[in-house]
Amino acid sequence: QQQVKQSPQSLIVQKGGISIINCAYENTAFDYFPWYQQFPGKGPALLIAIRPDVSEKKEGRFTISFNKSAKQFSLHIMDSQPGDSATYFCAATSNTGFQKLVFGTGTRLLVSP
Amino acid sequence: SAVISQKPSRDICQRGTSLTIQCQVDSQVTMMFWYRQQPGQSLTLIATANQGSEATYESGFVIDKFPISRPNLTFSTLTVSNMSPEDSSIYLCSVVKAKNEQFFGPGTRLTVL
């Protein structure tokens, strides 16, 4: 019940295309859903996050879509750029879980020039 | 956000030895965590570093193997004891700031021979 399932494992997108990464959870106590971007040799960087009271959040080219009834959320990267090539992790946590993050398995994104 | 530094950034150690990793934050934080990221894998929470009391360990992690200190609200150490090649991983500290946002340090890349 603590798992967060992430797909796809890897993704290749052409420059200018839309990258879509999906995550699903089971624990209904989760109330905060961040996405992290990690480049090789670096720590994960917080990209964007959403709470269940909204269905969508947009920051620049990055959008989170959230479906509370389906217990799913996704990251959309519009106009994908080669510089977006990285590994992306979804995560979930709750105040009742003492803010401990449960991570998805990661998606390795490659944006081809 | 938060400025987090870790020392060392990487190390190569011999089997049976111990390594202490330091994590320094630029401001006082209540919640601080230690994660492990095995090569090509996702992040797994090791423990919550509690200021002034013993760390809270996740299932599969024990204090004898991963002793943690948290002497104040800006600093913590994680020791990897009696190392084996299976301990080769990236070790990351993280802190929670306002609005549940969690930020990660750059990581310590450990190789055990």
Side-chain angles (χ1 to χ4, degrees):
Chain A
Q1 194 175 17
Q2 282 293 100
Q3 284 185 325
V4 176
K5 297 181 180 180
Q6 183 172 346
S7 63
Q9 187 175 3
S10 63
L11 182 61
I12 300 175
V13 174
Q14 285 197 328
K15 179 182 176 181
I18 302 173
S19 304
I20 302 174
I21 305 171
N22 301 299
C23 286
Y25 64 98
E26 294 187 1
N27 187 348
T28 54
F30 287 149
D31 58 8
Y32 178 71
F33 303 88
W35 284 89
Y36 286 87
Q37 178 189 57
Q38 186 176 32
F39 293 104
K42 305 291 185 182
L46 179 62
L47 194 60
I48 187 173
I50 198 168
R51 296 189 183 278
D53 53 343
V54 297
S55 60
E56 186 175 283
K57 183 175 181 180
K58 183 176 181 179
E59 290 184 1
R61 295 185 294 109
F62 300 92
T63 299
I64 300 179
S65 297
F66 186 84
N67 186 329
K68 187 174 181 178
S69 61
K71 291 185 284 186
Q72 295 175 348
F73 58 109
S74 60
L75 176 69
H76 293 63
I77 306 174
M78 313 300 288
D79 187 26
S80 298
Q81 299 297 311
D84 297 329
S85 298
T87 300
Y88 292 81
F89 294 97
C90 64
T93 187
S94 67
N95 280 330
T96 56
F98 303 102
Q99 300 173 19
K100 295 185 284 189
L101 286 171
V102 178
F103 280 88
T105 49
T107 297
R108 186 169 294 185
L109 171 65
L110 176 64
V111 181
S112 59
Chain B
S1 64
V3 177
I4 305 169
S5 61
Q6 286 187 232
K7 291 181 181 179
S9 59
R10 59 176 61 225
D11 207 342
I12 301 173
C13 301
Q14 295 297 318
R15 179 195 299 260
T17 62
S18 298
L19 176 72
T20 295
I21 302 167
Q22 298 179 3
C23 178
Q24 179 75 52
V25 191
D26 65 336
S27 59
Q28 292 186 342
V29 292
T30 303
M31 305 296 291
M32 184 179 282
F33 302 97
W34 286 98
Y35 289 82
R36 181 174 73 182
Q37 185 176 26
Q38 295 180 305
Q41 302 297 312
S42 186
L43 288 82
T44 300
L45 180 64
I46 297 172
T48 304
N50 301 309
Q51 195 267 329
S53 64
E54 193 171 281
T56 305
Y57 290 85
E58 297 300 304
S59 176
F61 298 95
V62 295
I63 187 172
D64 289 346
K65 177 67 176 177
F66 298 101
I68 290 171
S69 77
R70 177 109 188 257
N72 56 53
L73 293 177
T74 63
F75 185 80
S76 178
T77 66
L78 168 74
T79 299
V80 186
S81 303
N82 188 25
M83 289 184 286
S84 67
E86 292 72 34
D87 295 320
S88 297
S89 288
I90 300 171
Y91 292 87
L92 299 131
C93 65
S94 73
V95 302
V96 179
K97 300 287 282 186
K99 302 178 184 178
N100 285 9
E101 293 183 336
Q102 192 163 147
F103 299 95
F104 285 82
T108 295
R109 184 178 295 269
L110 171 62
T111 302
V112 184
L113 302 177

